[in-house]
Amino acid sequence: MYERSYMHRQPLSHILCTSSQFVVTASSDGIIKFWRKAQTGIEFVKTFRAHVGAIRGLAATSDGSLLASSGADNGLKVFDVLSFDMIAWMKLDFTPGPCEWVGGGAKGGEHSLSSLRTLLAVADADSADVRLLDAAAGEAKPLHVARVHSAPVRCLKFWPAHGAVVSADSRGLIEYWSVEPPFGLPKSAAFQYKTDTDLYALAKARAAPTFLSLAPDGEHFALGGTDGKIRIFRFRTGKTRRT
């Protein structure tokens, strides 16, 4: 009797669940696999040899229709999740870090980024810049560059309910910023100065972020650190709820 294994051959680097009932996994050798949620467990769908080397970022749109991956090979790829096809490939002139789809969820003005389209925010692995690209259209030239950190961004997540991005850099500093220039503090934040928050907690511990996860309730987020601790923050106040 013969059996076929769909497992990854190298350690997993990313696991992502989309709102369109798919699970996407990525491994350190640049392989991406699509899985479909079933009544019992998951079913394998397709494998992509997406990048040569490590995958730096993996992100899905809030509606689960598009997936983006960034790699150490300076490649950026966009997939149609529902048809399991790669629809765009871009070669970047910088080494990308994590990526995240932003926009499309906040109530902006008529000509605001958030109300018009969803862009892909791609962090630069070697600088503090975060570039906003129209990746779905295959455009590698950034429309905007957000400079809200002083060190390379290691984690970033977009919160549609607040029209805001939460990000953390290699020095452990956490920032909130809106998806529209000048990328200032979002209106939903209940503080004006970071000194009134616990957003320096990771930096004070001299730790770097390892992961960032947003809670479905729209009020909390969790941040893992190299100090082995997971900190849960209240979004609006920036205060820690539990460590």
Side-chain angles (χ1 to χ4, degrees), residues 193-206:
Y193 303 105
K194 285 178 62 179
T195 51
D196 298 328
T197 73
D198 294 325
L199 298 180
Y200 289 110
L202 197 64
K204 289 179 179 178
R206 297 184 178 181

Side-chain angles (χ1 to χ4, degrees), residues 33 38 48 136 153 161 203 241:
K33 290 180 181 286
F48 284 94
V153 173
R241 178 176 178 179

Side-chain angles (χ1 to χ4, degrees), residues 18-87:
T18 74
S19 59
S20 51
Q21 303 301 306
F22 285 87
V23 176
V24 184
T25 56
S27 51
S28 58
D29 54 357
I31 300 296
I32 290 177
K33 290 180 181 286
F34 286 78
W35 312 79
R36 182 189 291 110
K37 294 181 183 178
Q39 290 184 349
T40 57
I42 58 175
E43 299 173 348
F44 172 76
V45 176
K46 197 171 185 178
T47 295
F48 284 94
R49 188 174 295 277
H51 297 276
V52 178
I55 292 175
R56 297 288 183 83
L58 193 69
T61 53
S62 58
D63 64 0
S65 62
L66 296 177
L67 177 86
S69 66
S70 56
D73 58 358
N74 287 23
L76 181 67
K77 298 188 176 181
V78 179
F79 302 86
D80 185 315
V81 175
L82 300 180
S83 63
F84 334 119
D85 286 330
M86 185 175 69
I87 60 174

